[in-house]
């Protein structure tokens, strides 16, 4: 079994089997494979219940008792994915890794993803054991084989990782952190072309603790995460390798949780990846992987395996998984540590928000007004010109164009655009031409019009706007519809949901910093309302609910981050997940939106955009609303979060999900391909 540091908690899902008897196990396996057909259930039950060290002893006993090789017999008796999984479990980890790498290098083409996964994630000791195992098993030099099968900077970084010489000293020099940040910045963002050697040297050799501080400082200094610079400066397999290294530095279990999710999502399962990770992490950090998986993807790893695989193969994988985090009473408390670190990061990160649409240089409202008039005059409409002008001007410039258009031609530009354009393109262009506060007011009005209310739109707007934006929306709503926004919400919603929306619509959120004593009190209220507190302050339920709503709707963002951290410390749970579990309906959705917005507003919008385009059919209204409203605020940040979470650029998603002039206009707002 893998050794754990003294005092450290064992985080594997497979343990040494009590009352272990290698000879008895060898006999049981021999019996299971004797005669016609084999008892697969008995084989999987035994092998997945023993630690790797115990399996090696069983192998040795099998040879002593029967003069036969256990792995060879298992290969003969079993087939397909189940055979690959069981045989993988029977090899020592270093030999299992060696076999995976040998397979990745053999035949036509190289499995670069396998090389990246193994070499980016293993410790120095594991790398040394892997190199020795490869030499022992295949009488070949692993470094020579990798050099013979790869090339360029990708090859150089693999060779650096193969040395297993990453620094392991946790004492960090602040001066060296600053120097590395400067060197990485100068090697990438500030350089014409990229100095890949600096990226290779720093990311391939520095200790994990040092690099985490480098990544934090890089974000503070440059306003962008190191991942964004790697994507912008590197390409191909080299880029993928460097991103994997960064992910493993930040959190190796999170890297594997993501790999497992991608191995099972969508059509078809990447069984080789699934097997390799379940085998290699079962005695190292499977519990951490499970917890992060549940936090990140809102479903348990156990359930995803259950729904994506079948037969004995499924049973064996579920045994390695070691438990279902969705089961009643299983609330994966250790995931709270991940949540705590997430809140900590969101509290220190001061990322500069950037839009994708900026004021045009050499702006000439007169020329733009004339060009728009020409594009709409006569037979047919020149949509291309309209898109180019409207998407490449700031909103303030668009208002100047509207005024100039009226002065020149005595016509209302909005009315002309409305009569010339149609469908999704018309909604998008007209939205861009409205001042942001009037646009939001209109979206709220439409959400409350007709039969049924669009609660999601109400939540999205009111839970994410600043005080100044909310106050401007109130004025615009009154001006445009001769009714207060509060009155409209009162007549169209009800109950707790109405109270939440009206509270948000007052735009009275505090704007100061955090108050630690108050944060602890607020966290206690949240814990009692969500029914997971150990103690009770004795307040009645109705007044506690009002206090909880007040906390979420009126406390400042920095203060709420501290509240959510105190909540984790107090309860060992993440507030977002508890709200999802304990609440329901629109109230739950509103509270979750507030929490996500506090945590990471660009990520909240990235999720909304992804959901508007995934699956059959596109939610064009949500897509349009977010692209219009965030284009000058933080759409560049939304883009970065989108590619980080979904491994696909927003540009590509729009391209694959929309068409024609609507697509062209959206891509212009998107502002580039990541």
């Amino acid at each position: 079994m893998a050794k754990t540091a003294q005092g450290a908690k064992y985080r594997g899902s497979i343990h040494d089997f009590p009352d272990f008897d290698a000879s008895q196990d060898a006999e049981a396996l021999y019996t299971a494979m004797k005669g016609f057909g084999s008892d697969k259930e008995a084989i999987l039950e035994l092998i997945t219940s023993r630690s790797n060290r115990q399996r090696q002893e069983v192998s040795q006993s099998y040879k002593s008792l029967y003069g036969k090789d256990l792995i060879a017999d298992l290969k003969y008796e079993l087939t397909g994915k189940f055979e690959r999984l069981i045989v993988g479990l029977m090899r020592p980890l270093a030999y299992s890794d060696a076999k995976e790498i040998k397979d990745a290098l053999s035949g036509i083409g190289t499995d670069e993803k396998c090389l990246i996964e193994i070499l980016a994630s293993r410790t120095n000791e594991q790398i040394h054991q892997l190199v020795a195992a490869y030499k022992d098993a295949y009488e070949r030099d692993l470094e020579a084989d990798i050099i013979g099968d790869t090339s360029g900077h990708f090859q150089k970084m693999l060779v650096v990782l193969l040395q297993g010489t990453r620094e392991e000293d946790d004492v960090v020099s602040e001066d060296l952190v600053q120097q590395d940040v400067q060197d990485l910045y100068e090697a990438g963002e500030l350089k014409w072309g990229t100095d890949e050697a600096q990226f290779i040297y720093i990311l391939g050799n520095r200790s994990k603790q040092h690099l985490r501080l480098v990544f934090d400082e890089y974000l503070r200094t440059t306003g962008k995460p190191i991942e964004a610079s790697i994507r912008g400066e590197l390409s191909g397999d080299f880029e993928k390798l460097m991103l994997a290294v960064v992910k493993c530095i930040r959190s190796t279990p999170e890297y594997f949780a993501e790999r497992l999710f991608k191995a099972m999502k969508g059509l078809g399962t990447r069984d080789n990846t699934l097997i390799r990770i379940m085998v290699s992490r079962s005695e190292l950090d499977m519990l951490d992987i499970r917890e992060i998986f549940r936090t990140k993807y809102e479903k348990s790893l156990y359930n995803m395996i259950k729904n994506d695989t079948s037969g004995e193969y499924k049973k064996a994988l579920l045994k390695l998984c070691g438990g279902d985090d969705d089961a009643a009473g299983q609330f994966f408390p250790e995931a709270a540590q991940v949540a705590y670190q997430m809140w900590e990061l969101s509290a220190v990160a001061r990322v500069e928000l950037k839009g994708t649409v900026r004021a045009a240089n050499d702006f000439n409202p007169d020329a733009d007004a004339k060009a728009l008039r020409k594009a709409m005059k006569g037979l047919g409409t020149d949509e291309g010109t309209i898109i180019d002008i409207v998407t490449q001007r700031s909103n303030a410039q668009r208002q100047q164009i509207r005024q100039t258009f009226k002065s020149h031609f005595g016509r209302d530009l909005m009315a002309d655009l409305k009569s010339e354009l149609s469908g999704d393109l018309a909604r998008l262009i007209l939205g861009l031409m409205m001042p942001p506060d009037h646009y939001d007011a209109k979206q709220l009005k439409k959400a409350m019009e007709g039969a049924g209310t669009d609660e999601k739109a109400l939540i999205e707007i009111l839970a994410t706007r600043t005080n100044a934006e909310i106050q401007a929306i109130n004025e615009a709503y009154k001006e445009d519809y001769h009714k207060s926004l509060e009155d409209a919400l009162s007549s169209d919603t009800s109950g707790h949901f109405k109270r939440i929306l009206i509270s948000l619509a007052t735009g009275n959120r505090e704007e100061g910093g955090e108050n630690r004593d108050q944060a602890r009190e607020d966290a206690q209220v949240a814990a009692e309302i969500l029914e997971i507190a150990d103690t009770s302050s004795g307040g009645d339920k109705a007044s506690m609910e009002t206090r909880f709503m007040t906390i979420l709707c009126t406390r400042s963002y920095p203060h709420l981050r501290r509240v959510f951290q105190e909540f984790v410390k107090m309860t060992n749970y993440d507030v977002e997940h508890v709200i999802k579990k304990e609440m329901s309906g629109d109230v739950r959705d509103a509270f979750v939106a507030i929490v996500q917005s506090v945590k990471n507003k660009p990520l909240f919008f990235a999720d909304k955009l992804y959901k508007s385009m995934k699956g059959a059919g596109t939610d064009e209204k949500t897509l349009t609303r977010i692209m219009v409203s965030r284009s000058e605020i933080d759409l560049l940040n939304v883009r970065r979060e989108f590619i980080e979470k979904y491994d696909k650029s927003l540009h590509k998603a729009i391209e694959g999900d929309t068409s024609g002039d609507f697509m062209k206009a959206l891509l212009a707002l998107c502002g580039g391909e990541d």
Side-chain angles (χ1 to χ4, degrees):
M1 187 156 71
K3 287 179 189 169
T4 52
Q6 200 165 11
K9 202 170 170 190
Y10 177 66
R11 303 299 296 150
S13 54
I14 299 293
H15 301 258
D16 275 336
F17 188 73
D19 305 320
F20 170 65
D21 184 327
S23 297
Q24 198 175 307
D25 283 353
E27 284 176 35
L29 286 172
Y30 183 76
T31 304
M33 292 187 281
K34 206 167 70 174
F36 187 72
S38 52
D39 185 349
K40 296 182 181 68
E41 189 82 36
I43 294 168
L44 86 83
E45 191 59 43
L46 191 148
I47 289 175
T48 59
S49 302
R50 308 296 184 267
S51 67
N52 193 281
R53 178 187 62 76
Q54 290 175 331
R55 291 181 210 123
Q56 304 319 308
E57 288 185 46
V58 173
S59 250
Q60 195 56 54
S61 288
Y62 194 90
K63 194 154 213 162
S64 302
L65 286 170
Y66 306 109
K68 291 159 75 90
D69 181 68
L70 177 54
I71 286 182
D73 279 6
L74 287 166
K75 274 182 168 178
Y76 180 78
E77 291 292 332
L78 309 176
T79 57
K81 295 173 284 198
F82 181 55
E83 177 235 309
R84 189 177 171 94
L85 175 61
I86 294 297
V87 168
L89 287 167
M90 288 307 304
R91 294 190 180 101
L93 177 61
Y95 284 82
S96 184
D97 278 352
K99 174 74 166 67
E100 292 291 331
I101 285 190
K102 184 77 169 69
D103 289 349
L105 296 171
S106 299
I108 300 166
T110 307
D111 181 355
E112 289 85 3
K113 284 181 178 167
C114 171
L115 296 181
I116 290 169
E117 181 198 295
I118 292 174
L119 295 180
S121 65
R122 301 310 192 245
T123 63
N124 287 346
E125 187 185 351
Q126 287 166 343
I127 291 281
H128 297 151
Q129 289 169 355
L130 159 62
V131 171
Y134 193 90
K135 186 85 172 172
D136 180 49
Y138 306 111
E139 297 179 349
R140 297 178 65 87
D141 181 66
L142 179 51
E143 186 178 320
D145 280 2
I146 280 179
I147 288 171
D149 218 65
T150 58
S151 61
H153 298 298
F154 178 57
Q155 177 199 88
K156 285 176 193 163
M157 184 62 176
L158 289 176
V159 169
V160 166
L161 294 173
L162 261 184
Q163 306 315 301
T165 52
R166 186 176 295 289
E167 294 160 2
E168 293 182 331
D169 187 358
D170 277 348
V171 179
V172 177
S173 154
E174 284 184 27
D175 291 342
L176 188 55
V177 167
Q178 294 289 348
Q179 186 60 55
D180 281 351
V181 168
Q182 193 59 33
D183 287 349
L184 286 170
Y185 191 47
E186 288 174 2
E189 299 285 338
L190 293 183
K191 193 177 172 67
W192 183 261
T194 308
D195 180 1
E196 289 87 357
Q198 279 286 24
F199 278 86
I200 290 171
Y201 175 71
I202 293 170
L203 293 181
N205 290 286
R206 298 283 193 243
S207 75
K208 285 192 167 190
Q209 181 64 20
H210 173 88
L211 284 172
R212 286 183 195 123
L213 293 175
V214 168
F215 299 159
D216 289 346
E217 191 56 38
Y218 190 92
L219 178 62
R220 269 193 286 266
T221 304
T222 68
K224 60 180 0 183
I226 188 71
E227 291 91 340
S229 291
I230 288 171
R231 285 197 184 93
E233 299 299 324
L234 313 179
S235 62
D237 291 324
F238 180 46
E239 175 199 339
K240 290 184 187 119
L241 173 58
M242 296 308 253
L243 286 172
V245 168
V246 169
K247 279 176 182 165
C248 288
I249 297 293
R250 289 195 188 278
S251 167
T252 305
E254 186 168 357
Y255 169 72
F256 282 113
E258 193 178 299
R259 291 279 295 153
L260 284 167
F261 181 73
K262 285 175 182 169
M264 290 182 280
K265 75 165 187 172
L267 285 170
T269 306
R270 297 178 184 88
D271 294 292
N272 286 357
T273 302
L274 181 53
I275 291 166
R276 185 168 58 242
I277 297 172
M278 296 303 289
V279 167
S280 66
R281 309 314 293 186
S282 58
E283 291 181 54
L284 296 174
D285 51 8
M286 185 54 70
L287 297 185
D288 294 321
I289 292 168
R290 266 172 47 185
E291 286 148 9
I292 291 170
F293 193 99
R294 184 66 186 78
T295 304
K296 201 165 178 179
Y297 302 112
E298 297 174 21
K299 63 177 79 173
S300 68
L301 175 59
Y302 188 96
N303 261 331
M304 198 152 183
I305 291 170
K306 197 171 162 185
N307 295 331
D308 216 67
T309 57
S310 60
E312 279 86 11
Y313 174 53
K314 173 172 82 174
K315 287 178 191 166
L317 286 171
L318 292 177
K319 287 275 288 182
L320 294 180
C321 183
D324 182 4
D325 301 302
D326 284 339
Q330 295 271 326
F331 210 70
F332 64 104
E334 283 83 358
Q337 191 56 36
V338 179
Y340 184 87
Q341 287 160 0
M342 225 154 48
W343 292 117
E344 189 67 50
L345 188 64
S346 76
V348 298
R350 293 285 176 268
V351 182
E352 186 187 352
L353 298 177
K354 286 184 181 175
T356 52
V357 174
R358 298 171 190 84
N361 297 323
D362 305 321
F363 172 58
N364 184 337
D366 196 54
D368 284 349
K370 285 175 181 169
L372 286 170
R373 176 73 180 130
K374 188 180 174 189
M376 293 186 284
K377 213 169 159 187
L379 275 171
T381 307
D382 180 359
E383 285 90 352
T385 296
I386 296 171
I387 290 167
D388 285 346
I389 293 172
V390 175
T391 61
Q392 301 305 314
R393 306 293 182 268
S394 68
N395 194 278
Q397 290 175 333
R398 292 181 207 125
Q399 303 318 309
Q400 283 183 255
I401 295 169
R402 279 178 72 173
Q403 190 57 57
T404 306
F405 195 89
K406 194 152 211 164
S407 302
H408 270 312
F409 307 111
R411 301 171 68 90
D412 179 11
L413 176 55
M414 295 291 277
D416 281 7
L417 287 166
K418 211 169 189 175
S419 69
E420 292 292 328
L421 305 174
S422 62
D424 296 324
L425 179 65
R427 269 193 292 275
L428 180 64
I429 295 296
L430 289 166
L432 289 166
M433 289 305 303
M434 293 177 77
D437 48 352
H438 288 268
Y439 178 71
D440 277 347
K442 185 174 184 184
Q443 297 308 303
L444 290 168
K445 179 81 165 66
K446 288 173 89 165
M448 293 183 278
E449 268 175 358
T453 305
D454 183 353
E455 291 86 2
K456 286 193 169 77
L458 296 179
I459 292 167
E460 179 203 301
I461 295 169
L462 294 174
T464 61
R465 302 307 191 250
T466 63
N467 285 344
E469 287 167 341
I470 291 280
Q471 282 148 19
I473 291 167
N474 273 292
E475 286 169 27
Y477 199 95
K478 185 87 172 169
E479 183 187 330
D480 293 345
Y481 307 111
H482 313 294
K483 185 179 185 179
S484 76
L485 176 57
E486 184 178 328
D487 286 348
L489 290 166
S490 287
S491 57
D492 209 70
T493 57
S494 61
H496 287 304
F497 184 52
K498 175 173 86 172
R499 290 171 62 205
I500 294 163
L501 293 182
I502 288 174
S503 181
L504 292 171
T506 58
N508 282 330
R509 189 175 289 286
E510 294 160 4
E511 294 188 339
E514 63 183 62
N515 175 331
R516 290 207 175 207
D517 292 337
Q518 181 67 60
R520 279 189 280 275
E521 282 180 37
D522 289 347
Q524 178 67 31
V525 170
E528 288 183 39
I529 279 297
L530 297 168
E531 298 181 346
I532 53 171
D534 291 330
T535 59
S536 172
S537 58
D540 71 281
K541 180 102 172 166
S543 69
M544 292 290 283
E545 283 175 353
T546 302
R547 280 184 67 192
F548 183 55
M549 187 193 78
T550 303
I551 290 162
L552 286 184
C553 294
T554 66
R555 299 285 196 253
S556 72
Y557 273 27
H559 179 81
L560 282 173
R561 287 189 188 104
R562 180 58 59 189
V563 172
F564 299 153
Q565 274 185 285
E566 293 298 332
F567 184 90
V568 170
K569 273 195 215 167
M570 197 177 285
T571 67
N572 224 17
Y573 301 144
D574 177 32
V575 70
E576 181 184 338
H577 189 77
V578 182
I579 289 170
K580 285 175 178 170
K581 186 171 186 285
E582 298 296 329
M583 295 185 159
S584 61
D586 298 327
V587 170
R588 178 197 60 198
D589 294 345
F591 283 156
V592 166
I594 294 167
V595 173
Q596 289 177 340
S597 191
V598 169
K599 191 188 295 185
N600 184 336
K601 200 179 284 186
L603 178 58
F604 170 79
F605 284 114
D607 283 341
K608 287 269 177 199
L609 285 170
Y610 178 76
K611 284 168 185 165
S612 76
M613 291 182 280
K614 76 166 189 173
T618 306
D619 177 359
E620 289 88 0
K621 285 181 184 172
T622 301
L623 179 55
T624 300
R625 188 171 58 243
I626 295 173
M627 295 298 286
V628 168
S629 64
R630 309 317 293 181
S631 57
E632 287 183 61
I633 299 173
D634 55 5
L635 192 53
L636 192 61
N637 307 78
V638 173
R639 261 172 48 184
R640 287 173 185 159
E641 295 293 348
F642 194 98
I643 195 167
E644 185 65 35
K645 181 161 182 183
Y646 299 109
D647 228 20
K648 180 184 195 176
S649 70
L650 178 58
H651 187 284
K652 275 266 187 322
I654 290 168
E655 219 171 30
D657 215 67
T658 59
S659 60
D661 291 321
F662 180 51
M663 178 183 78
K664 285 178 196 164
L666 287 171
L667 292 178
L669 289 181
C670 184
E673 163 70 291
D674 296 303

